[in-house]
Amino acid sequence: MAKPQFRWNIKLKKSNSYLGTVYLEEPLPEVEDVIMIGDKKYSLVEIQPGSTRDSHDVFVEEVKKDALKK
């Protein structure tokens, strides 16, 4: 049996701009984890249930390069 996949609709928290959809298997990242989209790093800020059981609306903020040096 195939592992379940979860659809994440990635949006910027600040502007609610849609960045894309990602399909993930477990274990799923959690709030405050950092993910890469293209060549940019984003911190997960909020995860909300989506319109279906296997979808989520995920809000992110871009990680500034200065924040990575700390």
Side-chain angles (χ1 to χ4, degrees), residues 40-53:
K40 294 183 179 180
K41 291 185 180 184
Y42 294 90
S43 176
L44 301 180
V45 177
E46 184 178 348
I47 301 172
Q48 297 179 349
S51 57
T52 63
R53 182 177 58 83

Side-chain angles (χ1 to χ4, degrees), residues 9-35:
N9 301 311
I10 310 289
K11 300 177 183 179
L12 278 176
K13 179 73 173 179
K14 185 176 180 181
S15 64
N16 203 31
S17 299
Y18 175 76
L19 296 176
T21 299
V22 178
Y23 292 87
L24 299 171
E25 293 180 356
E26 292 181 324
L28 298 173
E30 298 179 10
V31 171
E32 296 186 8
D33 283 350
V34 175
I35 60 172

Side-chain angles (χ1 to χ4, degrees), residues 34-35 40-43 61-68:
V34 175
I35 60 172
K40 294 183 179 180
K41 291 185 180 184
Y42 294 90
S43 176
E61 290 180 347
E62 187 174 348
V63 175
K64 301 295 181 197
K65 291 182 181 180
D66 294 341
L68 294 175

